[in-house]
Amino acid sequence: MTDNTFTGMDELYRDFILDHYRNPRNAGTLDNPDATFEDLNPLCGDKIRMDLKIDDGVVTDVKFKGRGCAISQASASLLTEQIKGKSLAEINKLGKEDVLANVGINISAARLKCALLGLKVLKSALALKYVEEPDL
Amino acid sequence: MSAIVKPQTQGLTQADVARIRANFPILAERPHGKQLVFLDSAASSQKPVQVIEAMDDYYRRYHANIHRGVYHISELATEAYEEARASIARFIGTPCAAECIYVRNATEGLNLVAYSWGRSNLKRGDAILLTEMEHHSNLVPWQVLAQQTGAQLRFVPVADDGRLDLHDLDNLLDGVRLFAFTAVSNTLGTINPVRDLAARARAAGAVSVVDACQAVPRMPVDVTEWGADFIAFSGHKMLGPTGIGILWGRKALLDAMPPFLTGGGMIGVVELTKSTYADVPARFEAGTPAIAEAVGLAAAVRYLEAVGMERIHQYELSLAGYALERLAQVPAVKLYGPPMSDRTGVISMTVGDIHAHDLASILDSEGVCVRAGHHCNQPLMEKLGVPATARASFYLYNTPDEVDALVSAIEKAKRIFKIA
């Protein structure tokens, strides 16, 4: 049954988003991560933890674990793919626009927090790491 | 596809509901170009024009501070504020208007009891009994009270069917000074046996506190019949404005309680270093109160009385029954909560592996408003083993057609998520 009343929602929940939601990449945790952080969106209960291995200023491995809506989980999964092998300098430049570009659609204000939760966790993990080891 | 048989609704006829709907201007809104299907009244109900106009009329014709001015419009405002209290008192079955204290909402009412009654009556080693199905507003104030007094918290468990497991209640009540419980679960819709719980609390020597947020809007409530000691509810869930609610308490208990907030309006004689306090209810209403909101809440009460609470209750039950019946036939829909015999028109559900937020977003694109998340009920959600549910709740202005709209929006969500 074709349904064009749902065009907007079809665009939001495209196949690759559903795929990342149901089969998250880099899922799990790392032993002895160099940086780690967990955060949640208390309004909806979306939760993400991210573990990073950092070698010489480059993210060599990343895993994430979480629960929540398709938007939060898929955008975290996409983000982990994006940052593996990237330098901290490059990662620091990542912002809201990059996450939205990954998800591929402009998201309503109500759901923006879901999409940005992964990035927030990533930045918090690095900020914590940076405080502990200012020479990085 | 078999033809859908529309239910014979109880309580209100289709013509009644059509007349009611015409009183709610917001129902003509078209979000995303779709007819608004508002199924989130358990969070906050919509307002009839009678309430909006009563508040508008107050601001246009007789706004002034109350209990202060001797001029005409101040007298009018004072009269309206106190008449509103009397109307609300009658509505919940108490002849004593002074037992109804205006608060901002049920949350403030429960905090008032925790702060004022709790701090002067509880000590280390005393026990507070709650249930596992409490809204955060009837949980966190008691946690804080327990931390500050050294009292211990106990919980009546929730059984798998969404009802309270009362088999051990007598043991749980042993040594309890205060038993706080909800009349109706905001997540599962479970109707608790308030009268029985209050009686058993009393027999055990405990004060009972009822969160009546989900009960007062949707069923006849008579505080005398309930026999509890304190009852709190919010105006905005019962057709009234935000920013006003009621704490009802037994006069003898209220009379013995120290103030909660202090300042103007709640005093007797003020000296530089000490003051005496006004009698109940003024003692608990420091500062200029929500006058327009009191006027609005009284208008809401008149509206509900004119329709009839028993009819509203019956109608809501028949709508919820129809919704449960239809939803049970949709593959991948999982419903939570007790059978219809023990519930109101609040339905929590999950659909396949669609997260409640995604489901609510897709329903919203069809104009259907439901609540998604933990419903301020995190411990209960943990117990159910789901991170979040979507909750549809029904009220006097909803229709069987809106149940159908909910079901077809859920079917669309399933198509988008490719769930059979």
Side-chain angles (χ1 to χ4, degrees), chain B residues 213-293:
Chain B
C213 267
Q214 301 295 344
V216 172
R218 45 183 43 80
M219 59 185 71
V221 167
D222 183 318
V223 298
T224 316
E225 195 223 311
W226 269 2
D229 295 304
F230 296 101
I231 293 168
F233 54 96
S234 295
H236 70 92
K237 293 186 202 288
M238 49 187 287
L239 311 183
T242 56
I244 192 147
I246 294 290
L247 173 70
W248 172 87
R250 285 186 188 282
K251 186 75 170 22
L253 287 170
L254 292 172
D255 281 341
M257 280 159 56
F260 174 39
L261 301 174
T262 56
M266 52 73 67
I267 40 81
V269 178
V270 178
E271 297 168 46
L272 278 179
T273 56
K274 63 183 196 302
S275 302
T276 62
Y277 307 126
D279 287 339
V280 171
R283 185 188 308 161
F284 297 107
E285 293 177 6
T288 297
I291 308 164
E293 286 74 10

Coordinates of all heavy atoms in Angstrom, one line a residue, chain B residues 213-293:
Chain B
C213 N -4.8 12.9 41.1 CA -4.7 13.6 39.8 C -5.5 13.0 38.6 O -6.0 13.6 37.8 CB -3.3 13.7 39.4 SG -2.5 15.1 39.9
Q214 N -5.5 11.6 38.6 CA -6.1 10.9 37.5 C -7.5 10.5 37.9 O -8.2 9.9 37.0 CB -5.3 9.7 37.1 CG -3.8 10.0 36.6 CD -3.8 10.9 35.4 OE1 -4.8 11.0 34.6 NE2 -2.6 11.5 35.1
A215 N -7.9 10.7 39.1 CA -9.3 10.3 39.5 C -10.3 11.4 39.4 O -11.3 11.3 38.8 CB -9.2 9.7 40.9
V216 N -9.9 12.6 40.1 CA -10.9 13.7 40.2 C -11.4 14.1 38.8 O -12.6 14.4 38.6 CB -10.3 14.9 41.0 CG1 -11.2 16.1 40.9 CG2 -10.1 14.4 42.4
P217 N -10.5 14.1 37.7 CA -11.1 14.6 36.4 C -12.0 13.6 35.8 O -12.8 14.0 34.9 CB -9.8 14.7 35.5 CG -8.7 14.7 36.5 CD -9.1 13.9 37.7
R218 N -12.0 12.3 36.2 CA -12.7 11.3 35.3 C -13.6 10.4 36.1 O -14.1 9.5 35.5 CB -11.7 10.5 34.5 CG -10.4 10.0 35.3 CD -9.5 9.3 34.4 NE -9.3 10.0 33.1 CZ -8.5 11.1 32.9 NH1 -7.8 11.5 33.9 NH2 -8.4 11.7 31.7
M219 N -13.8 10.6 37.3 CA -14.8 9.7 38.0 C -15.4 10.5 39.2 O -14.7 11.4 39.7 CB -14.2 8.4 38.5 CG -13.0 8.6 39.4 SD -12.2 7.0 39.8 CE -11.5 6.6 38.2
P220 N -16.6 10.1 39.7 CA -17.1 10.8 40.8 C -16.2 10.6 42.0 O -15.8 9.5 42.3 CB -18.5 10.2 41.1 CG -18.8 9.4 39.8 CD -17.5 9.1 39.2
V221 N -15.8 11.7 42.7 CA -14.9 11.5 43.9 C -15.7 12.2 45.1 O -16.1 13.3 45.0 CB -13.6 12.1 43.7 CG1 -12.8 12.3 45.0 CG2 -12.7 11.3 42.7
D222 N -15.8 11.4 46.2 CA -16.4 12.0 47.4 C -15.4 11.7 48.5 O -15.2 10.6 48.9 CB -17.7 11.2 47.6 CG -18.4 11.8 48.8 OD1 -17.8 12.1 49.9 OD2 -19.7 11.9 48.8
V223 N -14.8 12.8 49.0 CA -13.7 12.7 50.0 C -14.2 12.0 51.3 O -13.5 11.3 51.9 CB -13.0 14.0 50.3 CG1 -12.3 14.5 49.0 CG2 -13.9 15.0 50.9
T224 N -15.5 12.3 51.6 CA -16.1 11.7 52.8 C -16.1 10.2 52.7 O -15.8 9.4 53.6 CB -17.5 12.3 53.0 OG1 -17.5 13.7 52.8 CG2 -17.9 12.0 54.4
E225 N -16.5 9.7 51.5 CA -16.6 8.3 51.2 C -15.3 7.7 51.2 O -15.1 6.6 51.7 CB -17.4 8.1 49.9 CG -17.9 6.7 49.7 CD -17.7 6.2 48.3 OE1 -18.0 6.9 47.4 OE2 -17.1 5.1 48.2
W226 N -14.3 8.3 50.6 CA -12.9 7.8 50.5 C -12.3 7.6 51.9 O -11.6 6.6 52.2 CB -12.0 8.7 49.7 CG -12.0 8.4 48.2 CD1 -12.7 7.4 47.6 CD2 -11.2 9.0 47.2 NE1 -12.4 7.4 46.3 CE2 -11.5 8.3 46.0 CE3 -10.3 10.0 47.2 CZ2 -10.9 8.7 44.8 CZ3 -9.7 10.4 46.0 CH2 -10.0 9.7 44.8
G227 N -12.6 8.6 52.8 CA -12.1 8.4 54.2 C -10.6 8.6 54.3 O -10.0 8.2 55.3
A228 N -9.9 9.3 53.4 CA -8.5 9.5 53.5 C -8.3 10.8 54.3 O -9.2 11.5 54.7 CB -7.8 9.6 52.1
D229 N -7.0 11.1 54.6 CA -6.7 12.3 55.3 C -6.2 13.5 54.5 O -6.5 14.6 54.8 CB -5.6 12.0 56.4 CG -6.1 11.0 57.4 OD1 -7.1 11.2 58.0 OD2 -5.5 9.9 57.5
F230 N -5.5 13.2 53.4 CA -5.1 14.3 52.5 C -5.4 13.8 51.0 O -5.1 12.6 50.7 CB -3.6 14.6 52.6 CG -3.2 15.2 53.9 CD1 -2.6 14.4 54.9 CD2 -3.5 16.6 54.2 CE1 -2.3 15.0 56.1 CE2 -3.1 17.1 55.5 CZ -2.5 16.3 56.4
I231 N -5.8 14.7 50.2 CA -6.0 14.4 48.8 C -5.5 15.5 47.9 O -5.9 16.7 48.2 CB -7.5 14.1 48.5 CG1 -8.0 12.9 49.2 CG2 -7.8 14.0 47.0 CD1 -9.5 12.7 49.2
A232 N -4.7 15.3 46.9 CA -4.1 16.3 46.1 C -4.5 16.1 44.6 O -4.5 14.9 44.2 CB -2.6 16.4 46.2
F233 N -4.9 17.2 43.9 CA -5.1 17.0 42.5 C -4.8 18.4 41.8 O -4.8 19.4 42.4 CB -6.5 16.5 42.2 CG -7.7 17.3 42.8 CD1 -8.3 18.3 42.1 CD2 -8.1 17.1 44.1 CE1 -9.4 19.1 42.6 CE2 -9.1 17.8 44.7 CZ -9.8 18.8 43.9
S234 N -4.7 18.3 40.5 CA -4.3 19.4 39.6 C -5.5 19.9 38.8 O -6.2 19.1 38.2 CB -3.1 19.1 38.7 OG -2.0 18.8 39.4
G235 N -5.6 21.2 38.7 CA -6.7 21.7 37.9 C -6.6 21.5 36.4 O -7.6 21.3 35.7
H236 N -5.3 21.5 35.9 CA -5.2 21.5 34.4 C -5.5 20.1 33.8 O -5.7 20.0 32.6 CB -3.7 21.9 34.0 CG -2.7 20.9 34.4 ND1 -2.3 19.9 33.6 CD2 -2.0 20.7 35.6 CE1 -1.4 19.2 34.2 NE2 -1.2 19.6 35.4
K237 N -5.6 19.1 34.6 CA -6.0 17.8 34.1 C -7.5 17.6 34.0 O -8.1 16.6 33.6 CB -5.4 16.7 34.9 CG -3.9 16.6 34.8 CD -3.4 15.3 35.5 CE -2.0 15.4 36.0 NZ -1.0 15.3 34.9
M238 N -8.3 18.6 34.6 CA -9.8 18.5 34.7 C -10.4 19.7 34.1 O -11.4 20.3 34.6 CB -10.2 18.3 36.2 CG -9.5 19.3 37.1 SD -9.9 19.0 38.9 CE -11.6 19.5 39.0
L239 N -9.9 20.1 32.9 CA -10.5 21.2 32.1 C -10.1 22.6 32.6 O -10.5 23.5 32.0 CB -12.0 21.1 31.9 CG -12.6 19.7 31.5 CD1 -14.1 19.9 31.3 CD2 -12.0 19.2 30.2
G240 N -9.5 22.6 33.7 CA -9.1 23.9 34.3 C -7.7 24.4 33.8 O -7.1 23.7 33.0
P241 N -7.3 25.6 34.2 CA -6.1 26.2 33.8 C -4.9 25.5 34.5 O -5.0 24.8 35.5 CB -6.2 27.6 34.2 CG -7.1 27.6 35.3 CD -8.1 26.5 35.1
T242 N -3.7 25.7 33.9 CA -2.4 25.3 34.6 C -2.2 26.3 35.8 O -2.8 27.4 35.9 CB -1.2 25.4 33.7 OG1 -1.1 26.7 33.2 CG2 -1.3 24.4 32.6
G243 N -1.4 25.9 36.7 CA -1.0 26.8 37.8 C -1.9 26.8 39.0 O -1.8 27.6 39.9
I244 N -2.9 25.9 39.0 CA -3.8 25.8 40.2 C -4.2 24.3 40.4 O -4.3 23.5 39.5 CB -5.0 26.6 40.1 CG1 -5.7 26.7 41.4 CG2 -6.0 26.1 39.0 CD1 -6.4 28.0 41.7
G245 N -4.2 24.0 41.7 CA -4.6 22.6 42.1 C -5.1 22.7 43.5 O -5.2 23.8 44.1
I246 N -5.5 21.6 44.1 CA -6.1 21.6 45.4 C -5.4 20.6 46.3 O -5.2 19.4 45.8 CB -7.6 21.3 45.3 CG1 -8.4 22.4 44.6 CG2 -8.2 21.0 46.7 CD1 -8.6 23.7 45.3
L247 N -5.1 21.0 47.5 CA -4.8 20.0 48.5 C -6.0 20.0 49.5 O -6.3 21.1 50.1 CB -3.6 20.4 49.3 CG -3.3 19.5 50.5 CD1 -3.0 18.0 50.1 CD2 -2.3 20.0 51.4
W248 N -6.7 18.9 49.6 CA -7.8 18.8 50.6 C -7.2 18.0 51.8 O -6.4 17.1 51.6 CB -9.0 17.9 50.0 CG -10.0 17.6 51.1 CD1 -11.0 18.4 51.5 CD2 -10.0 16.4 51.9 NE1 -11.7 17.8 52.5 CE2 -11.1 16.6 52.8 CE3 -9.2 15.3 52.0 CZ2 -11.4 15.6 53.8 CZ3 -9.5 14.4 53.0 CH2 -10.6 14.5 53.8
G249 N -7.5 18.5 53.0 CA -7.0 17.8 54.2 C -8.1 17.9 55.2 O -8.9 18.8 55.2
R250 N -8.1 17.0 56.1 CA -9.0 17.0 57.3 C -8.7 18.3 58.1 O -7.5 18.5 58.4 CB -8.8 15.8 58.2 CG -9.4 14.6 57.6 CD -9.4 13.4 58.5 NE -9.8 12.2 57.8 CZ -11.1 12.0 57.5 NH1 -12.0 12.8 58.0 NH2 -11.4 10.9 56.8
K251 N -9.7 19.0 58.5 CA -9.6 20.3 59.1 C -8.7 20.1 60.4 O -7.8 21.0 60.6 CB -10.9 20.8 59.5 CG -11.0 22.2 60.1 CD -10.7 23.2 59.0 CE -11.0 24.7 59.5 NZ -10.9 24.9 60.9
A252 N -8.9 19.1 61.2 CA -8.2 18.9 62.4 C -6.7 18.8 62.2 O -5.8 19.3 62.9 CB -8.7 17.7 63.2
L253 N -6.3 18.1 61.1 CA -4.9 17.9 60.8 C -4.3 19.2 60.3 O -3.2 19.6 60.7 CB -4.8 16.8 59.7 CG -5.0 15.3 60.1 CD1 -5.0 14.4 58.9 CD2 -3.9 14.9 61.0
L254 N -5.1 19.9 59.4 CA -4.6 21.1 58.8 C -4.4 22.2 59.9 O -3.4 22.9 59.9 CB -5.6 21.7 57.8 CG -5.7 20.9 56.5 CD1 -6.9 21.4 55.6 CD2 -4.4 20.9 55.7
D255 N -5.3 22.2 60.8 CA -5.3 23.2 61.9 C -4.0 23.1 62.7 O -3.5 24.0 63.3 CB -6.5 23.1 62.9 CG -7.7 23.7 62.3 OD1 -7.6 24.5 61.4 OD2 -8.9 23.3 62.7
A256 N -3.5 21.8 62.9 CA -2.4 21.6 63.7 C -1.0 21.7 63.0 O 0.0 21.6 63.5 CB -2.5 20.1 64.3
M257 N -1.1 22.0 61.6 CA 0.1 22.0 60.8 C 0.7 23.4 60.8 O 0.0 24.4 60.6 CB -0.2 21.5 59.4 CG -0.2 20.0 59.4 SD -1.2 19.3 57.9 CE -0.3 20.1 56.6
P258 N 2.1 23.5 60.8 CA 2.8 24.7 60.6 C 2.7 25.1 59.1 O 2.4 24.3 58.3 CB 4.2 24.4 61.0 CG 4.4 23.0 60.8 CD 3.0 22.3 61.1
P259 N 3.0 26.4 58.8 CA 2.9 26.9 57.4 C 4.0 26.2 56.6 O 4.9 25.6 57.1 CB 3.3 28.4 57.5 CG 3.2 28.7 58.9 CD 3.4 27.5 59.8
F260 N 3.8 26.2 55.3 CA 4.7 25.7 54.3 C 5.5 26.9 53.7 O 6.6 27.1 54.2 CB 3.9 24.9 53.2 CG 4.7 24.4 52.0 CD1 6.0 23.9 52.2 CD2 4.1 24.5 50.8 CE1 6.7 23.4 51.1 CE2 4.9 24.0 49.7 CZ 6.1 23.5 49.8
L261 N 4.9 27.6 52.8 CA 5.5 28.9 52.4 C 5.0 30.0 53.3 O 3.9 29.9 53.8 CB 5.1 29.2 50.9 CG 5.5 28.1 49.9 CD1 5.0 28.4 48.6 CD2 7.1 27.9 49.9
T262 N 5.9 31.0 53.5 CA 5.5 32.1 54.4 C 5.6 33.4 53.7 O 6.3 33.5 52.7 CB 6.4 32.1 55.7 OG1 7.8 32.2 55.3 CG2 6.2 30.8 56.5
G263 N 4.9 34.4 54.2 CA 5.0 35.7 53.6 C 3.7 36.4 53.8 O 3.0 36.2 54.8
G264 N 3.3 37.3 52.9 CA 2.0 38.0 53.0 C 0.8 37.1 52.9 O 0.9 36.0 52.3
G265 N -0.3 37.5 53.4 CA -1.5 36.8 53.2 C -1.7 35.6 54.1 O -2.9 35.1 54.3
M266 N -0.7 35.1 54.8 CA -0.8 33.9 55.6 C -0.6 34.3 57.1 O -0.4 33.4 57.9 CB 0.1 32.8 55.2 CG 1.6 33.1 55.0 SD 2.5 33.3 56.5 CE 2.4 31.7 57.2
I267 N -0.6 35.6 57.4 CA -0.1 36.0 58.8 C -1.3 36.4 59.7 O -2.4 36.7 59.2 CB 0.9 37.1 58.7 CG1 0.6 38.1 57.6 CG2 2.3 36.6 58.4 CD1 -0.4 39.1 58.0
G268 N -1.1 36.5 61.0 CA -2.0 37.1 61.9 C -1.4 38.4 62.3 O -1.6 39.4 61.7
V269 N -0.5 38.4 63.3 CA 0.2 39.6 63.7 C 1.7 39.5 63.4 O 2.3 38.4 63.7 CB 0.0 39.8 65.2 CG1 0.8 41.1 65.7 CG2 -1.5 39.9 65.6
V270 N 2.3 40.5 62.8 CA 3.7 40.4 62.4 C 4.4 41.4 63.2 O 4.1 42.6 63.2 CB 3.9 40.7 60.9 CG1 5.4 40.7 60.6 CG2 3.1 39.6 60.1
E271 N 5.4 40.9 63.9 CA 6.4 41.8 64.6 C 7.7 41.7 63.9 O 7.9 40.8 63.0 CB 6.5 41.5 66.1 CG 5.2 41.6 66.8 CD 5.3 41.0 68.2 OE1 6.3 41.2 68.9 OE2 4.3 40.2 68.6
L272 N 8.7 42.5 64.3 CA 10.0 42.4 63.6 C 10.7 41.0 63.7 O 11.3 40.5 62.8 CB 11.0 43.5 64.1 CG 10.7 44.8 63.4 CD1 11.7 45.9 64.0 CD2 10.9 44.8 61.9
T273 N 10.5 40.4 64.9 CA 11.2 39.1 65.1 C 10.3 37.9 65.1 O 10.8 36.8 65.1 CB 12.0 39.2 66.4 OG1 11.1 39.5 67.4 CG2 13.1 40.2 66.3
K274 N 9.0 38.1 65.1 CA 8.2 36.9 65.1 C 6.8 37.3 64.6 O 6.4 38.4 64.5 CB 8.1 36.3 66.5 CG 7.5 37.2 67.6 CD 7.5 36.5 68.9 CE 6.6 37.1 70.0 NZ 6.9 38.5 70.3
S275 N 6.0 36.2 64.2 CA 4.7 36.4 63.7 C 3.8 35.3 64.2 O 4.2 34.3 64.5 CB 4.7 36.4 62.2 OG 5.6 37.4 61.7
T276 N 2.5 35.7 64.1 CA 1.5 34.6 64.3 C 0.9 34.3 62.9 O 1.0 35.2 62.0 CB 0.4 35.0 65.2 OG1 -0.3 36.1 64.7 CG2 0.9 35.3 66.6
Y277 N 0.3 33.2 62.7 CA -0.2 32.8 61.4 C -1.7 32.8 61.3 O -2.4 32.6 62.3 CB 0.3 31.4 61.0 CG 1.8 31.3 61.2 CD1 2.4 30.4 62.0 CD2 2.7 32.3 60.6 CE1 3.8 30.3 62.1 CE2 4.0 32.3 60.7 CZ 4.6 31.3 61.5 OH 6.0 31.2 61.7
A278 N -2.2 33.0 60.1 CA -3.6 33.0 59.9 C -4.2 31.6 60.0 O -3.5 30.6 60.1 CB -3.9 33.5 58.4
D279 N -5.5 31.5 60.1 CA -6.2 30.2 60.2 C -6.1 29.5 58.8 O -5.9 30.2 57.8 CB -7.6 30.4 60.6 CG -7.8 30.8 62.1 OD1 -6.8 30.5 62.8 OD2 -8.8 31.4 62.5
V280 N -6.4 28.3 58.8 CA -6.6 27.5 57.6 C -7.8 28.0 56.8 O -8.8 28.3 57.5 CB -6.8 26.0 57.9 CG1 -7.2 25.2 56.7 CG2 -5.5 25.5 58.6
P281 N -7.8 28.2 55.5 CA -6.8 27.8 54.6 C -5.7 28.9 54.3 O -4.7 28.6 53.7 CB -7.6 27.6 53.3 CG -8.7 28.5 53.4 CD -9.1 28.6 54.8
A282 N -6.0 30.1 54.8 CA -5.1 31.2 54.4 C -3.6 31.0 54.9 O -2.7 31.4 54.2 CB -5.6 32.5 55.0
R283 N -3.5 30.2 56.0 CA -2.2 29.9 56.5 C -1.3 29.2 55.4 O -0.1 29.4 55.4 CB -2.3 29.0 57.7 CG -0.9 28.7 58.4 CD -1.0 27.6 59.4 NE -2.1 27.9 60.3 CZ -2.7 27.0 61.1 NH1 -2.3 25.7 61.1 NH2 -3.6 27.3 61.9
F284 N -1.9 28.5 54.5 CA -1.1 27.8 53.5 C -1.2 28.5 52.1 O -0.8 27.9 51.1 CB -1.6 26.4 53.4 CG -1.5 25.6 54.6 CD1 -2.6 25.3 55.4 CD2 -0.2 25.2 55.0 CE1 -2.4 24.6 56.6 CE2 0.0 24.5 56.2 CZ -1.1 24.1 57.0
E285 N -1.6 29.7 52.1 CA -1.7 30.4 50.8 C -0.9 31.7 50.9 O -1.5 32.8 50.7 CB -3.2 30.6 50.4 CG -3.9 29.3 50.1 CD -5.3 29.4 49.8 OE1 -5.9 30.5 49.7 OE2 -6.0 28.3 49.7
A286 N 0.4 31.6 51.1 CA 1.2 32.8 51.2 C 1.3 33.5 49.8 O 1.4 32.9 48.8 CB 2.6 32.5 51.7
G287 N 1.3 34.9 49.8 CA 1.5 35.6 48.6 C 0.2 35.7 47.8 O -0.8 35.1 48.1
T288 N 0.2 36.6 46.8 CA -0.9 36.8 46.0 C -1.2 35.5 45.2 O -0.3 35.0 44.5 CB -0.7 37.9 45.0 OG1 -0.6 39.1 45.7 CG2 -1.9 38.0 44.0
P289 N -2.3 34.9 45.4 CA -2.6 33.5 44.8 C -3.0 33.7 43.3 O -3.0 34.7 42.7 CB -3.7 33.0 45.6 CG -4.5 34.2 46.0 CD -3.5 35.3 46.1
A290 N -3.2 32.5 42.7 CA -3.6 32.4 41.3 C -5.1 32.6 41.2 O -5.9 31.7 41.2 CB -3.3 31.0 40.7
I291 N -5.5 33.9 41.2 CA -7.0 34.2 41.3 C -7.7 33.9 40.0 O -8.8 33.2 40.1 CB -7.1 35.8 41.6 CG1 -6.3 36.2 42.8 CG2 -8.6 36.1 41.8 CD1 -6.1 37.7 42.9
A292 N -7.2 34.3 38.9 CA -7.8 33.9 37.6 C -8.0 32.4 37.5 O -9.0 31.9 37.0 CB -7.1 34.5 36.4
E293 N -6.9 31.7 37.9 CA -6.9 30.3 37.8 C -8.0 29.6 38.7 O -8.6 28.6 38.3 CB -5.5 29.7 38.1 CG -4.5 30.0 37.0 CD -4.0 31.5 36.9 OE1 -4.3 32.3 37.9 OE2 -3.3 31.8 36.0

